[in-house]
């Protein structure tokens, strides 16, 4: 059993190194090729010089995002990420998410709506905010212009479920079971084009686990997708001691 566990961990380590190397190879190769072209005289070209510089910058940004995500994932998985669980007003949390995401949604001509039926959740507020903005950001990126994106909050026994539902292209069953894995992408080419590192949903899964929660996704290909997360509910009486947002959302 111990040998099997060691072999599994070694395989995971090898796969991780392979994936990281693969993700870095493309932007490094593109940036190097563009730099060499500039060094060979293209920097003097008023038309193509700036294009090569922009390509280098774009790929450096991509590598920086990948490194940031890797460091974040490492902190969370190792338990070094500071998670402070407390009773949080759901209305206040949703208001913050709205402020962060509504302009992004509007720029893509999407409609973003919120509906909440539970006052309090037991969580780390910033970590849950990060999960919800990730779900919404993915919907904004992958749905066609003009889509409806809904964030709904409901009670399930002693749990609070946050669901982000869109009416976009959906995800096939063969992909749905693996989308929370590190570096797994449904559409690899498109994900890279829009700046995805393939680590966002893995970070989300680990953040939820650190808060004694869980995540999942349901989808019908061609009709839309729902990403959800669940956490312990705060007792309704504790809601009296939690300040609400001063502004309505929705």
């Amino acid at each position: 059993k111990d040998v099997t566990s060691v072999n599994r961990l070694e395989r995971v380590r090898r796969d991780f190194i392979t994936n990281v190397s693969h993700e870095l190879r493309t932007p490094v190769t593109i940036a190097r090729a563009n730099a060499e072209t500039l060094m060979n005289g293209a920097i003097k070209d008023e038309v193509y010089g700036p294009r090569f510089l922009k390509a280098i910058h774009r790929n450096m940004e991509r590598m920086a995002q990948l490194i940031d995500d890797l460091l974040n994932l490492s902190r969370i998985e190792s338990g070094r990420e500071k998670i402070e669980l407390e009773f949080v007003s759901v209305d206040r949390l949703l208001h913050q998410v709205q402020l962060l995401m509504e302009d992004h949604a509007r720029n893509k001509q999407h409609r973003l709506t919120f509906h909440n039926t539970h006052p309090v959740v037991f969580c780390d507020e910033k970590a849950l905010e990060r999960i919800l903005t990730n779900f919404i950001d993915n919907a904004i990126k992958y749905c066609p212009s003009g889509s409806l994106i809904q964030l709904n909050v409901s009670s399930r026994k002693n749990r609070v479920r946050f669901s982000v539902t869109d009416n976009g292209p959906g995800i096939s069953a063969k992909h749905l079971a693996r989308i929370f894995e590190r570096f797994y992408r449904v559409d690899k080419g498109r994900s890279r084009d829009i700046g995805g590192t393939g680590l966002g949903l893995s970070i989300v899964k680990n953040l939820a686990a650190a808060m004694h929660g869980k995540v999942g996704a349901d989808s019908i290909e061609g009709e839309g997708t729902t990403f959800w997360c669940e956490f312990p509910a705060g007792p309704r009486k504790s809601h009296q001691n939690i300040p609400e947002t001063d502004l309505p959302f929705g």
Side-chain angles (χ1 to χ4, degrees):
K1 184 176 180 182
D2 289 341
V3 174
T4 301
S5 178
V6 169
N7 289 338
R8 184 184 65 81
L9 290 173
E10 180 62 23
R11 185 174 64 254
V12 169
R13 185 187 70 83
R14 287 198 305 268
D15 290 345
F16 181 74
I17 292 173
T18 298
N19 283 325
V20 171
S21 300
H22 179 74
E23 292 295 326
L24 288 172
R25 183 182 295 115
T26 299
V28 167
T29 300
I30 294 173
R32 183 171 59 188
N34 281 277
E36 289 173 351
T37 303
L38 288 169
M39 291 169 64
N40 289 330
I43 195 168
K44 298 177 182 179
D45 191 305
E46 294 181 359
V47 176
Y48 290 100
R51 294 184 185 179
F52 291 127
L53 286 172
K54 287 179 181 178
I56 292 172
H57 182 264
R58 184 169 60 251
N59 282 278
M60 291 301 100
E61 288 287 313
R62 178 176 164 185
M63 283 193 287
Q65 184 61 59
L66 177 60
I67 291 168
D68 284 345
D69 282 352
L70 285 169
L71 292 173
N72 287 332
L73 186 59
S74 175
R75 281 197 302 270
I76 298 165
E77 288 184 336
S78 67
R80 290 182 289 112
E81 181 80 4
K82 190 175 181 181
I83 298 292
E84 296 183 350
L85 300 178
E86 59 183 347
F87 293 121
V88 174
S89 162
V90 176
D91 276 350
R92 188 180 70 213
L93 173 68
L94 295 189
H95 178 64
Q96 271 303 117
V97 172
Q98 181 187 24
L99 291 177
L100 290 169
M101 303 305 297
E102 62 181 354
D103 285 344
H104 185 25
R106 190 180 298 114
N107 290 338
K108 297 289 185 178
Q109 287 80 53
H110 296 316
R111 187 157 62 93
L112 185 58
T113 66
F114 296 79
H115 179 67
N116 173 38
T117 62
H118 197 86
V120 177
V121 61
F122 191 61
C123 69
D124 180 292
E125 187 168 0
K126 288 298 181 182
L128 181 49
E129 179 185 291
R130 188 173 177 183
I131 291 172
L132 297 178
T133 54
N134 179 280
F135 286 165
I136 295 173
D137 184 57
N138 282 341
I140 291 171
K141 288 177 177 177
Y142 288 100
C143 288
S145 179
S147 295
L148 173 63
I149 301 168
Q150 303 173 78
L151 198 169
N152 297 312
V153 186
S154 58
S155 302
R156 296 166 58 91
K157 296 182 179 179
N158 63 335
R159 311 281 285 180
V160 181
R161 171 171 285 209
F162 295 78
S163 303
V164 175
T165 301
D166 64 59
N167 57 355
I171 302 170
S172 66
K174 69 177 182 178
H175 293 302
L176 199 61
R178 300 188 60 191
I179 54 176
F180 289 96
E181 295 178 13
R182 290 181 295 189
F183 295 112
Y184 191 83
R185 292 184 175 95
V186 175
D187 184 339
K188 294 182 180 180
R190 187 180 178 194
S191 179
R192 290 194 180 97
D193 288 343
I194 62 177
T197 64
L199 292 172
L201 290 177
S202 182
I203 290 173
V204 158
K205 181 179 179 180
N206 280 276
L207 281 175
M211 295 186 285
H212 311 296
K214 59 182 180 178
V215 297
D218 305 296
S219 185
I220 299 176
E221 197 167 6
E223 296 186 18
T225 302
T226 296
F227 281 93
W228 56 265
C229 53
E230 285 186 355
F231 301 94
R236 289 185 177 270
K237 64 180 180 179
S238 68
H239 184 239
Q240 298 173 0
N241 301 320
I242 298 176
E244 292 290 348
T245 175
D246 294 329
L247 299 173
F249 61 85

